[in-house]
Amino acid sequence: MHSIKKTGFKVPNNYFDTLEDDLLPEIKLKTNLERSGFTVPKTYFSDLDSDIINKIQKENEPKVISIVSKKNLIYISSVAAAVLLLFSLSVLNTKPETTFDSLDVQTVENYILEEDIGAYEINTTLTEDDFYAENFTDVTIDDDSFETYILNDINIEDIMLE
């Protein structure tokens, strides 16, 4: 095994030679002092028991906190206002559902003309089922409407050139 030759503790040189000289003033100082410098009131120890009991009794009294404080009232009213606002917005924003049947023909025509929608865009929205014969209805056009359409919407020169 290992043999330990040194203890690992070191003491400065001449430490024990001057130790007595360093400790003697401390010992003399303690023996010469009559008082420690701290004072206690005369009735401190006699009143100590009653002071402690009084403090304990005061601490055991529970604090009473009012439920209806200004802070709680503001908090509760703000939550109620937020819920009321959310409910009113959800009720008032219910829009009637728009269906294709509710649109009039003039609105659809104006949309197609103003948005510059071409045949390709219209073709992409239609399916094969839209071209079945039962989907088309017979439309009767009176002569006055047909004549007005030809006079206002068709350029006769383009027809004659074809």
Side-chain angles (χ1 to χ4, degrees):
M1 293 277 172
H2 300 285
S3 60
I4 300 174
K5 295 180 182 178
K6 292 184 180 180
T7 63
F9 298 107
K10 294 182 180 178
V11 177
N13 292 336
N14 301 325
Y15 177 76
F16 293 106
D17 295 338
T18 61
L19 180 65
E20 187 176 330
D21 295 336
D22 291 340
L23 290 179
L24 270 178
E26 292 283 329
I27 294 171
K28 286 181 184 178
L29 181 65
K30 289 182 181 178
T31 57
N32 290 338
L33 286 178
E34 293 177 12
R35 294 184 306 148
S36 66
F38 298 102
T39 59
V40 178
K42 292 180 181 179
T43 61
Y44 179 75
F45 291 107
S46 61
D47 297 339
L48 183 63
D49 293 339
S50 61
D51 288 343
I52 291 174
I53 290 173
N54 288 337
K55 286 183 181 179
I56 290 173
Q57 288 176 349
K58 287 181 183 177
E59 290 176 3
N60 287 338
E61 294 177 9
K63 288 186 176 181
V64 177
I65 300 173
S66 175
I67 294 175
V68 186
S69 68
K70 186 175 182 180
K71 182 179 177 183
N72 289 343
L73 186 63
I74 291 172
Y75 178 72
I76 291 170
S77 62
S78 64
V79 169
V83 169
L84 183 64
L85 180 66
L86 179 67
F87 178 72
S88 66
L89 289 177
S90 65
V91 169
L92 295 177
N93 285 338
T94 55
K95 296 178 183 176
E97 198 172 310
T98 305
T99 61
F100 189 72
D101 295 334
S102 66
L103 295 175
D104 59 284
V105 176
Q106 187 65 36
T107 305
V108 175
E109 286 179 0
N110 288 339
Y111 177 77
I112 291 172
L113 292 174
E114 290 175 10
E115 295 296 324
D116 195 29
I117 296 176
Y120 180 75
E121 286 86 8
I122 294 173
N123 187 25
T124 57
T125 61
L126 299 174
T127 62
E128 281 187 38
D129 295 337
D130 294 331
F131 293 110
Y132 290 136
E134 58 266 0
N135 291 338
F136 293 98
T137 58
D138 292 329
V139 178
T140 56
I141 300 173
D142 59 350
D143 292 336
D144 292 334
S145 299
F146 185 68
E147 185 177 334
T148 305
Y149 173 74
I150 289 177
L151 291 174
N152 294 336
D153 296 329
I154 296 180
N155 192 352
I156 296 178
E157 293 176 358
D158 291 339
I159 295 175
M160 287 204 275
L161 291 175
E162 290 178 11

